[in-house]
Amino acid sequence: MTDLLLSLAQQTPPAGAAPGSGGNPLMQLVPFLLIFVVFYFLIIRPQSRKAKDLQRMLGDLKKGDDVVTTGGLLGRITGMKDDEVTLQVQEGVRLRFARSAITGKQRVAAETAKADVKAS
């Protein structure tokens, strides 16, 4: 691979070009622009969309929602303050968390309840 790169670098310029000229400067920017576009569509855009969805979900939380925390703890919201949420993880056991520690709403309980109703 290195030999190929060295041989390409040592090639003589085309007959009409002045020695030492690198060609059109805009053509040298094309690979960088292409890399930026690929990064934007594959990394930046999906990440910003995911962050926006998380902020929307955190704003829509209410008492009674079943949620999952960053540590994997499952619980039901029993109280809320500005940036603090109280979760009931078991009967009589309540824990306080920062609102930002909640990663999503728990869907397993709702799906299980629907499956039980259909089975009956």
Side-chain angles (χ1 to χ4, degrees):
M1 181 73 173
T2 312
D3 295 333
L4 175 66
L5 292 175
L6 287 174
S7 68
L8 289 174
Q10 293 174 353
Q11 287 181 350
T12 58
S21 70
N24 188 354
L26 291 177
M27 291 306 291
Q28 293 176 353
L29 290 177
V30 169
F32 294 112
L33 292 174
L34 187 63
I35 289 171
F36 177 76
V37 168
V38 168
F39 270 102
Y40 177 76
F41 283 108
L42 293 180
I43 297 172
I44 298 170
R45 188 170 175 220
Q47 187 67 27
S48 65
R49 181 178 291 161
K50 188 175 181 179
K52 194 181 297 183
D53 289 343
L54 179 64
Q55 290 302 319
R56 186 179 320 118
M57 185 271 307
L58 289 176
D60 292 342
L61 288 177
K62 59 187 179 300
K63 287 184 181 181
D65 285 346
D66 291 327
V67 294
V68 180
T69 65
T70 55
L73 191 70
L74 305 173
R76 178 167 288 149
I77 297 176
T78 58
M80 296 177 67
K81 293 183 183 175
D82 291 334
D83 23 329
E84 187 177 293
V85 175
T86 303
L87 297 181
Q88 180 176 347
V89 294
Q90 188 177 2
E91 192 63 41
V93 179
R94 293 195 172 126
L95 303 172
R96 292 179 5 203
F97 284 91
R99 187 184 288 247
S100 61
I102 295 176
T103 58
K105 291 185 179 180
Q106 182 183 357
R107 293 183 180 94
V108 177
E111 291 173 0
T112 306
K114 287 180 184 177
D116 290 343
V117 169
K118 287 181 181 178
S120 299

